[in-house]
C-alpha cells in the first residue's frame, strides 16, 4: 500500500513535470539566445575585449562612413531588423553595405550556422570561443523576430502595443535605470522618444536581448506582448530633453 502510494505520487509528479515541459517548449534556451543577441549587437563588448581596429575585410570599400571596430558588429552588416540590404539598412547612409540579412537562416541547423560564422568571410575563428559561436547560432536560428509585424518599414510607425499597460511595465522594470522620461543612465545618444522615431528596430532588439556588458535584463523569455506594450509607451516619451 505504501509503495503504491509512493508510486502514485512519483507518477503524478512526472506527469506534472511533463506538462510544464510541454507548456514551455520554446523557453528552454532563452538565456543562450539572449546572450547570442548581445553578441550580434557588440560581441567584443560582451566578451570584454577591445574590438579589432582595422576595418572588417568584408566591409565594402564604397562605404567610407564607417570604419574600425563598428564594422565588425553583426548588426552593422546584417541590420537590427536582421534583413540586411532588404531592411532598414538598405536605405541607410552610414550602414549601406548591400549585404544580405540573416533571416534566411532563421530556423536553420545550429552547426550549419556555426560553419558560416567560422567561414573566411567572417574572420572570427581566432576571436571567439565555442560557447560564443553556439550562442550566436542559437540567436540566428531561434531568436529572430520578424519586426515588420510591428514596425512599418517606411514610416517606422509602431503598432501592436498598449501604451497604458506599457507605462506600468516601464515604470516598474525600466525607469530605475532609464528615468521616467527615458533619457538615462549614462551615454545614451538619444532619449527613448527619439529612439522610437529613429531606430525602433534597435530598441526592440535590445529590449528582447539586453544591452551588451550592462546589467540590463532581457525580456525575451516573457510574453512578447510585454515588450510590445513597453515600446508603445516609449513612443509616447518626450524626444527633446
Ligand atoms: C563586414 C560585414 C559582416 C559582418 C560584420 C558580419 N557578417 Fe555575416 N555575412 C557577411 C556576408 C558578406 C555574408 C554572405 C557571404 C558569406 O557568408 O560568405 C554573410 C553571411 C552571414 C550568414 C548567412 C546568411 C545566409 O542566409 O546565407 C549569417 C547567418 C551571418 N552572416 C551571421 C553573422 C553574424 C552572427 C555576425 C556577427 C558575429 C556576422 N554575420 C557579421 C558579412 C558580414
Ligand atoms: C539595471 C539597469 C537597467 C535596467 C533595469 C534597464 N536598462 Fe536599458 N540600458 C541600461 C544601460 C546601462 C544601457 C546602455 C545605455 C546607457 O549607458 O545609457 C541601456 C540601454 C537600453 C537601450 C538602448 C538605448 C540606446 O539608445 O542605445 C534600450 C532600448 C533600453 N535600454 C531599454 C530598456 C527597457 C525597455 C527596460 C525595461 C524593460 C530597460 N532598458 C531596463 C540599463 C538598464
Amino acid at each position: 500500500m505504501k509503495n503504491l502510494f509512493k508510486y502514485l505520487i512519483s507518477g503524478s509528479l512526472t506527469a506534472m513535470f511533463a506538462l510544464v515541459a510541454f507548456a514551455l517548449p520554446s523557453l528552454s534556451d532563452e538565456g543562450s539566445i539572449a546572450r547570442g543577441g548581445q553578441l550580434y549587437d557588440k560581441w567584443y563588448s560582451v566578451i570584454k575585449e577591445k574590438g579589432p581596429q582595422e576595418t572588417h575585410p568584408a566591409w565594402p570599400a564604397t562605404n567610407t562612413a564607417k570604419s574600425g571596430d563598428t564594422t565588425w558588429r553583426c548588426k552593422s552588416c546584417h541590420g537590427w531588423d536582421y534583413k540586411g540590404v532588404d531592411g532598414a539598412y538598405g536605405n541607410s547612409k552610414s550602414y549601406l553595405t548591400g549585404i544580405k540579412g540573416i533571416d534566411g537562416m532563421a530556423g536553420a541547423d545550429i552547426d550549419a550556422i556555426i560553419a558560416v560564422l567560422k567561414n573566411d568571410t567572417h574572420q572570427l575563428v581566432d576571436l571567439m570561443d565555442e560557447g560564443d559561436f553556439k550562442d550566436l547560432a542559437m540567436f540566428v536560428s531561434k531568436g529572430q523576430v520578424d519586426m515588420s509585424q510591428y514596425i512599418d518599414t517606411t514610416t517606422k510607425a509602431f503598432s501592436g502595443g498598449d501604451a497604458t499597460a506599457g507605462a506600468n511595465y516601464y515604470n516598474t522594470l525600466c525607469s530605475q535605470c532609464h528615468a521616467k522620461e527615458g533619457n538615462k543612465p549614462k551615454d545614451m545618444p538619444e532619449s527613448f522618444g527619439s529612439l522610437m522615431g529613429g531606430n525602433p528596430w534597435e530598441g526592440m532588439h535590445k529590449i528582447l536581448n539586453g544591452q551588451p556588458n550592462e546589467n540590463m535584463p532581457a525580456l525575451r523569455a516573457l510574453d512578447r506582448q510585454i515588450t510590445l506594450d513597453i515600446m508603445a509607451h516609449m513612443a509616447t516619451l518626450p524626444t527633446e530633453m
Side-chain angles (χ1 to χ4, degrees), residues 47 51 61 97 104 123 129 141 149 163 167 188 209 213 218 230:
I47 62 177
T97 62
Q123 299 279 321
D129 68 23
S141 180
Q149 298 172 85
M188 284 211 318
N209 300 296
N213 200 23
I230 291 175

Side-chain angles (χ1 to χ4, degrees), residues 80 169-170 172-178 183-192 195 202-204 206-207 210-217 219 226-227 230-231 234:
W80 290 114
Y169 296 133
Y170 181 90
T172 51
L173 295 170
C174 319
S175 63
Q176 69 272 39
C177 291
H178 288 293
N183 60 339
K184 290 198 159 61
K186 359 180 231 207
D187 52 3
M188 284 211 318
E190 48 189 5
S191 67
F192 283 160
L195 181 71
E202 175 181 1
M204 186 156 200
K206 290 185 169 180
I207 297 168
Q211 172 81 8
N213 200 23
E214 297 287 359
N215 291 327
M216 176 166 141
L219 298 196
I226 296 175
T227 292
I230 291 175
M231 289 184 74
M234 283 163 61

Side-chain angles (χ1 to χ4, degrees), residues 17-66:
F17 281 125
L19 256 177
V20 169
F22 183 72
L24 303 171
S26 60
L27 286 184
S28 47
D29 283 315
E30 298 298 307
S32 163
I33 298 172
R35 184 172 181 276
Q38 291 177 37
L39 289 161
Y40 180 83
D41 172 349
K42 203 185 246 184
W43 54 266
Y44 43 88
S45 169
V46 176
I47 62 177
K48 302 193 186 347
E49 294 285 351
K50 249 183 105 195
Q53 294 308 293
E54 70 282 11
T55 298
H56 195 293
W59 189 258
T62 46
N63 181 332
T64 51
K66 296 287 170 190

Side-chain angles (χ1 to χ4, degrees), residues 125-145:
V125 172
D126 298 330
L127 301 175
M128 289 187 188
D129 68 23
E130 291 304 319
D132 301 331
F133 284 119
K134 183 186 156 253
D135 290 344
L136 266 169
M138 284 291 288
F139 171 74
V140 171
S141 180
K142 302 175 197 291
Q144 297 187 58
V145 171

Side-chain angles (χ1 to χ4, degrees), residues 16 94 111 127 189:
M16 261 168 64
S94 42
D111 291 331
L127 301 175

